[in-house]
């Protein structure tokens, strides 16, 4: 069975746009996986630890035969092969790959929580996610992406994100 999955991509080290392109290519090499749709690239201020370079972020929608934990492991392998080192929380990174949504599933594993627990606070996820699927409904509470995005924009404004 094929699952529709949304993945957030981000990079703030080296050649950021190239890093995202390499990661997308590696994702398409995963068994039974193809990219359905990609958002535009967005330049975004860092979140969490703000004393670092800006990020380039993107969201992709994929179709995959992989189960959630297998996909997570494969994405982490891509990060490691690309040079990601997890030295500090929310620190600089060559590539970051996050499973945002996995079909209509709500998952609560120690290593994977879906929907991604912080995605509703992050414009760098919500803006490209809405671009990929403007009719998206979150599986855990039935909230519509448009409603969530409106609330976050009202709280933060959109100064922290712009299309590249």
């Amino acid at each position: 069975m094929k699952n529709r999955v949304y993945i957030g991509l981000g990079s703030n080290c080296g050649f950021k746009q190239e890093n995202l392109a390499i990661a997308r290519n590696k994702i398409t090499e995963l068994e039974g996986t193809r990219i359905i749709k990609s958002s535009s690239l967005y330049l975004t201020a860092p979140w969490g630890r703000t004393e670092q370079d800006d990020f380039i972020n993107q969201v992709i929608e994929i179709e995959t035969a992989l189960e959630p934990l297998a996909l997570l492991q494969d994405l982490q392998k891509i990060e490691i092969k690309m040079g990601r080192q997890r030295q500090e929380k929310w620190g600089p990174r060559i590539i970051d790959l996050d499973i945002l949504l996995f079909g209509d599933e709500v998952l609560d594993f120690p290593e994977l929580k879906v929907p991604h627990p912080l995605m509703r606070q992050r414009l760098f996820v919500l803006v490209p996610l809405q671009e990929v699927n403007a009719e998206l409904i979150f599986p855990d509470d039935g909230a519509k992406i448009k409603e969530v995005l409106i609330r976050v924009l009202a709280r933060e404004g959109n100064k922290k994100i712009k299309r590249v």
Side-chain angles (χ1 to χ4, degrees):
M1 180 172 121
K2 297 277 184 170
N3 298 293
R4 289 283 171 115
V5 180
Y6 295 89
I7 299 173
L9 296 84
S11 176
N12 77 332
C13 295
F15 299 101
K16 302 170 196 177
Q17 291 185 31
E18 184 178 320
N19 294 339
L20 296 182
I22 291 167
R24 286 191 311 270
N25 287 336
K26 290 185 178 297
I27 289 168
T28 63
E29 294 171 1
L30 298 178
E31 183 179 341
T33 301
R34 68 184 181 102
I35 295 176
I36 303 295
K37 194 168 184 183
S38 299
S39 74
S40 302
L41 301 178
Y42 291 88
L43 182 65
T44 63
W47 194 92
R49 199 183 128 236
T50 57
E51 302 82 32
Q52 57 184 312
D53 285 346
D54 286 346
F55 279 81
I56 301 279
N57 289 98
Q58 179 177 46
V59 168
I60 60 173
E61 177 184 5
I62 67 168
E63 185 178 75
T64 185
L66 295 170
E67 293 299 317
L69 293 178
L71 177 61
L72 176 65
Q73 289 174 347
D74 284 346
L75 294 177
Q76 289 174 338
K77 287 176 188 172
I78 290 170
E79 289 177 335
I80 290 166
K81 285 180 183 175
M82 289 184 65
R84 168 106 189 244
Q85 297 177 8
R86 295 179 186 269
Q87 296 176 340
E88 60 183 296
K89 188 173 187 173
W90 296 323
R93 60 205 81 146
I94 196 162
I95 193 68
D96 187 31
L97 303 172
D98 289 327
I99 298 173
L100 305 172
L101 296 164
F102 197 98
D104 291 330
E105 295 190 43
V106 177
L107 305 170
D108 190 9
F109 298 109
E111 63 271 57
L112 177 63
K113 309 250 185 278
V114 173
H116 190 287
L118 297 173
M119 67 187 282
R120 292 179 192 171
Q121 301 169 32
R122 298 172 167 176
L123 284 175
F124 65 85
V125 172
L126 294 171
V127 170
L129 183 59
Q130 188 203 25
E131 180 185 338
V132 170
N133 185 349
E135 302 304 316
L136 187 97
I137 297 174
F138 292 99
D140 54 344
D141 63 3
K144 296 178 180 177
I145 183 79
K146 290 177 186 178
E147 297 164 353
V148 174
L149 185 55
I150 287 169
R151 284 194 298 269
V152 175
L153 285 169
R155 185 179 70 234
E156 296 189 20
N158 65 352
K159 299 174 207 146
K160 297 180 180 178
I161 182 168
K162 69 178 184 178
R163 195 177 296 199
V164 176

